[in-house]
Every structure is written in structure tokens, then in C-alpha cells.
Amino acid sequence: MSKLFSPMRLTSKYTLNNRLAVAPMTTTQSNPDGTVSQKETAWLERLAKDGYGIVISCAASISIDSVAFENQLSAGSDEMLEGLTGLANGLKKHDSINLIQLCHAGSRAIKAQPRSASSYLLPQIPDFVPPLELSTDQIAGIVNDFASACERVAKAGFSGIEFHGANGYLFTQFFSKMTNLRQDEYGGSVANRA
């Protein structure tokens, strides 16, 4: 139990004050355009102030095509940078390691035509709309969107990022044999799907 509240060195740059972490939670507290709201800032700053070693934001979209839920935080354009910078600066005051979780909804996108590793059916889900299969050029575009979001988050001053790889979003849609029916370099073997 004593280790729980003791520091832990992560890298030459970062040391955790303790081993307590706030996991990312979907709060739907951002503004409708994805900018950081005062409510969300107050929530995350309160968690940092409470003394957690790591605070991880909710899933942030990487583009307008990747939005998974209403009022989702976004790191998808330079217009988000001012709010993200303000949030990062507010969190730094409390000496926690601060991460943003980045996410692409894939077939669960709500603001664009749902796209995924493949087109597939999920008959157990009422009113499920089969996504369109992503082309290799579109996959490259998503990789670039993730890279741009990472650069934005770093520029804003966050300690790092976490990729959202669960809950049926795009990463799991690529990894699952149920939703990835591709026959190219992104399908078939575990290595290709990953």
C-alpha cells in the first residue's frame, strides 16, 4: 500500500507523484464544436488538484469524421489549440501528468458517413447501418489525422497521449475478425489487422 502513494519515475522528463490515475471518462462536457468548455476544464482541473498522479481526458476526436458522441472534446484542428493550451496550463498548476486520449469512432461516427476496416453487418444491433469500407488512401488520411492531433496536443503542452483502442471504436474494428474482413495488408493475420 505504501508504494501507491510513492513517486515513480516514468521517463527522464516525467515522474509521477503517486500511482493513482484518473481513467478517461466520457463526460460530454465539451462545447458542441469540440472546443474545451469551462465545465470540462473545471472537472479535469479539480481531478488534478485532488492529487492524482495521472489525469487522462475523455476520448478526443481527431477529425470531424471521427466524432463518436455529442459534445466530444476535439484535437482535430488548429482551432482547438487555444482551448487545449488553456486546459494543459491549468492542469500543470497541480503537478499531475496530463494525457489526452485520442479516438476515431469508425463505424460509430455520428457526424459523417460511418466507415470502418470493412463493410459488415451486426444483426444483433437494431437499426445498425453498415459502414463503408475504408480505402487504403483513407486509412493513410486517418493515420495523418492521428499524427496531426498528436502534434497539436504536444504543442498545447500536454504530457502525452493515449490511443483509445476499446469499446468498439476504429482500432477494435480493425483488430476484430468480425468487423475486419479485408484481404489486403490491413486484413487477415493478427499482425496485419493490428
Side-chain angles (χ1 to χ4, degrees), residues 111-178:
K111 296 195 174 190
Q113 168 69 52
R115 295 183 184 275
S116 186
S118 303
S119 183
Y120 56 89
L121 299 173
L122 292 177
Q124 66 274 31
I125 299 176
D127 303 319
F128 179 77
V129 176
L132 299 177
E133 182 173 289
L134 289 161
S135 69
T136 53
D137 286 345
Q138 289 168 326
I139 293 169
I142 291 170
V143 170
N144 286 333
D145 288 342
F146 270 105
S148 295
C150 289
E151 288 176 4
R152 231 171 257 116
V153 167
K155 190 173 183 181
F158 283 86
S159 308
I161 57 98
E162 176 184 79
F163 292 118
H164 193 328
N167 304 109
Y169 291 133
L170 189 61
F171 286 179
T172 50
Q173 292 164 27
F174 265 89
F175 196 71
S176 172
K177 287 184 177 183
M178 287 177 54

Side-chain angles (χ1 to χ4, degrees), residues 2-190:
S2 63
K3 281 191 174 184
L4 184 62
F5 299 102
S6 65
M8 183 171 86
R9 189 158 193 83
L10 295 178
T11 67
S12 60
K13 187 175 179 181
Y14 295 114
T15 299
L16 291 174
N17 290 331
N18 57 59
R19 287 114 191 275
L20 299 174
V22 176
M25 293 177 258
T26 301
T27 61
T28 65
Q29 293 184 117
S30 295
N31 294 315
D33 65 356
T35 54
V36 178
S37 70
Q38 276 303 108
K39 188 176 181 181
E40 186 159 33
T41 298
W43 155 254
L44 290 169
E45 280 191 33
R46 193 200 86 208
L47 293 169
K49 187 177 180 180
D50 283 348
Y52 289 93
I54 296 178
V55 176
I56 308 172
S57 79
C58 66
S61 65
I62 59 160
S63 67
I64 193 65
D65 295 342
S66 70
V67 175
F69 51 88
E70 295 296 337
N71 297 336
Q72 182 178 6
L73 181 63
S74 176
S77 73
D78 288 341
E79 285 134 18
M80 307 301 158
L81 196 51
E82 182 180 348
L84 292 172
T85 302
L87 177 59
N89 289 338
L91 292 169
K92 283 180 191 175
K93 291 180 201 172
H94 305 293
D95 208 24
S96 63
I97 304 295
N98 306 295
L99 308 178
I100 286 189
Q101 186 185 70
L102 298 179
C103 171
H104 193 298
S107 68
R108 298 177 65 192
I110 63 168
K111 296 195 174 190
Q113 168 69 52
R115 295 183 184 275
S116 186
S118 303
S119 183
Y120 56 89
L121 299 173
L122 292 177
Q124 66 274 31
I125 299 176
D127 303 319
F128 179 77
V129 176
L132 299 177
E133 182 173 289
L134 289 161
S135 69
T136 53
D137 286 345
Q138 289 168 326
I139 293 169
I142 291 170
V143 170
N144 286 333
D145 288 342
F146 270 105
S148 295
C150 289
E151 288 176 4
R152 231 171 257 116
V153 167
K155 190 173 183 181
F158 283 86
S159 308
I161 57 98
E162 176 184 79
F163 292 118
H164 193 328
N167 304 109
Y169 291 133
L170 189 61
F171 286 179
T172 50
Q173 292 164 27
F174 265 89
F175 196 71
S176 172
K177 287 184 177 183
M178 287 177 54
T179 53
N180 185 344
L181 311 173
R182 299 177 76 97
Q183 300 299 315
D184 63 5
E185 67 269 30
Y186 294 106
S189 70
V190 171

